[in-house]
Amino acid sequence: MSTLVRHRSTNIVTLAPGEIISDHCSAGDIALVQDGNGWWTHFIGENGEIDSYDAPFDAHNKALWAAKAAAEFDSAAD
């Protein structure tokens, strides 16, 4: 089951194994997804496009803090 953290008006959604980003996220959200390599931080665009960092984080907490930092940066640009 996915979990949601709202930070600086950005939804950060941690997906459970097998969950699909488009089922749980909208434009402007950040999705945290685990695979065999670690935790990926995905940014959801206006048309559903997904942009990601070039490497996963080795722990959920690190991916979450990176997502929070990105949300802070995005809120400062407004």
Side-chain angles (χ1 to χ4, degrees), residues 4 12 15 20-21 23 25 28-30 32 36 40 42 46-49 53-54 57 65 67-68 73 75-77:
L4 171 70
I12 302 170
L15 299 178
I20 300 169
I21 292 174
D23 289 346
C25 299
D29 291 351
I30 300 172
L32 304 181
W40 291 92
H42 300 296
E46 288 299 318
N47 297 313
E49 67 275 8
Y53 290 135
D54 59 350
F57 293 92
W65 282 106
K68 286 182 176 183
F73 179 78
S75 71

Side-chain angles (χ1 to χ4, degrees), residues 1-2 6 14 16-17 19 24 27-28 30-31 34-35 38 40 42 49 51-53 76:
M1 175 160 64
S2 65
R6 187 137 172 97
T14 299
E19 290 184 321
H24 298 277
I30 300 172
Q34 185 180 29
D35 70 9
W40 291 92
H42 300 296
E49 67 275 8
D51 191 18
S52 306
Y53 290 135

